[in-house]
Amino acid sequence: MLFPHVETKRTALRPAHSSDGPTVYETLQKAGIATLPERAAFEREHAGNLAAQFFVEQRGQVVGLTSLRDLDQAGRHIRAEILTDAGRGRMGLGAEVTLMTVNYAFAMWNVRKVYFWTTDAEARNFTGPPQLVRKEATLPGHAVENGELTDVHVFAIYREDWEEYGTKLLTRLVHGRKAANGEGR
């Protein structure tokens, strides 16, 4: 049985609700997230079919947002979206948030896969163990970025791969290397 971890030694996922004060968009703007779309597009996209949404925090500061949406219980899949401060990507923030988000989805719902849509520019940065992350499709000219049509790439992590490989990576982040190897606990 999976536990829905929402905290590692350096990063925490905190529930994000617009009723908590500033809107999600304003909070992300203040955090300096540079990859935000225009406000109207963000609000339109982020209001629908939301299953879970979290602010990403490090040292008490918001550095991003992660959400799970479009839960399809018949098809047993859910879409993950992750927005983080691009400057922190070199420090592994995106990977850490992805691991917690995917694990949360598998722990909370009986889904067979968690999928991600990403644009051409981001696809080069979307990495993970080859046995964990599968590229499923490319949708040519499906999105507009900086006023130009761009491809959208669809990646997925399947439950069986997550249980075999992903849980070990997350356990290492949450409890340390010894716990991931079955030592000391």
Side-chain angles (χ1 to χ4, degrees), residues 54-181:
F54 301 94
F55 284 119
V56 178
E57 293 182 356
Q58 286 188 327
R59 296 185 194 104
Q61 290 187 311
V62 173
V63 295
L65 178 80
T66 183
S67 63
L68 291 158
R69 61 182 61 257
D70 302 329
L71 173 62
D72 182 335
Q73 294 188 357
R76 296 183 50 224
H77 55 78
I78 193 166
R79 180 167 56 119
E81 291 182 338
I82 299 167
L83 289 168
T84 57
D85 179 353
R88 294 175 188 257
R90 291 180 296 280
M91 297 182 287
L93 176 64
E96 195 168 334
V97 173
T98 298
L99 291 171
M100 284 193 287
T101 302
V102 168
N103 185 74
Y104 188 89
F106 287 133
M108 298 303 291
W109 297 286
N110 183 26
V111 292
R112 64 186 173 84
K113 73 175 175 177
V114 178
Y115 67 95
F116 305 83
W117 290 27
T118 184
T119 61
D120 217 338
E122 298 169 79
R124 290 184 287 275
N125 297 321
F126 192 89
T127 58
Q131 62 272 46
L132 184 60
V133 180
R134 300 182 197 181
K135 184 168 184 178
E136 295 208 317
T138 298
L139 307 173
H142 191 75
V144 176
E145 190 172 89
N146 300 322
E148 295 186 26
L149 287 174
T150 188
D151 297 346
V152 169
H153 303 273
V154 181
F155 294 89
I157 297 176
Y158 283 77
R159 179 180 290 273
E160 62 269 16
D161 298 332
W162 178 255
E163 290 176 353
E164 186 171 348
Y165 304 105
T167 55
K168 292 175 186 143
L169 296 170
L170 184 62
T171 298
R172 183 176 288 161
L173 283 172
V174 172
H175 299 293
R177 184 176 302 273
K178 287 184 179 181
N181 294 331

